[in-house]
Amino acid sequence: MTDLREASLIEDLRAVTRETHDRLDTAIMAAAVFDTIAGYGRFAGVQYLFHRDVNALYDAPALAALLPDLAERRRLGLIAADLGDLGLDPPEADARPAFEAGAAFDLPAALGWLYVAEGSNLGAAVLRREAAKLGLSDDHGARHLAPPPEGPAVRWRAFIAAADAIVLNAEERARAAMGAQAAFARVQALVDARLA
């Protein structure tokens, strides 16, 4: 029997970004950022710049109405504290943030960017173990990799459920997919510029 159920938004985003996501993961691991504190510092700088791009979304009322506990999911401050632990200043931005506080934004595209930001929490468990080998912890240098109290899987499932409950038409779904692709492209560009 054929399954006639439509793919969920998150399934769509996962499918359209699979190759880009795999390429990014490979580039990060090839950069050996967890071999030294200096390498990890460069990685944290990439994280900082990407989360700077999406930081304003965590305060956006339109998104907060759709995604529970959105404000508590923000990680920019944690990354800045991690950089401080390493004696590093936040890196100089190469451009304005992708989303700016108070500025109008396309909601479907923003959902695509948040999909990338929130999805990175799942991979953080592996990265956290690597950071621990460098002597970093949830309280020093690797705060932004620490799992939420309920665990990363529970938080991710809550995000999926909320995102999949948002009704988007086909054109809006396409804009969400373009947002996710743009977010992955942004991280890839940061990795290429700062980790290669």
Side-chain angles (χ1 to χ4, degrees), residues 59-120:
D59 289 326
L63 288 167
L66 299 170
L67 302 168
D69 72 353
L70 184 61
E72 292 94 52
R73 293 170 175 268
R74 170 184 281 134
R75 288 189 283 162
L76 185 63
L78 297 173
I79 302 166
D82 288 341
L83 288 166
D85 290 341
L86 302 176
L88 300 172
D89 292 324
E92 280 291 316
D94 58 350
R96 297 173 72 98
F99 299 92
E100 296 189 75
F105 62 89
D106 180 62
L107 191 138
L111 289 172
W113 280 77
L114 285 174
Y115 162 77
V116 175
E118 292 303 308
S120 69

Side-chain angles (χ1 to χ4, degrees), residues 11 13-14 32 36 41 45 48 87 92 122 144 146 159 163 166 177 179 195:
E11 288 169 338
L13 297 179
R14 187 178 296 126
T36 65
Y48 180 88
E92 280 291 316
L122 290 177
H144 79 283
F159 178 80
I166 299 168
L195 302 184

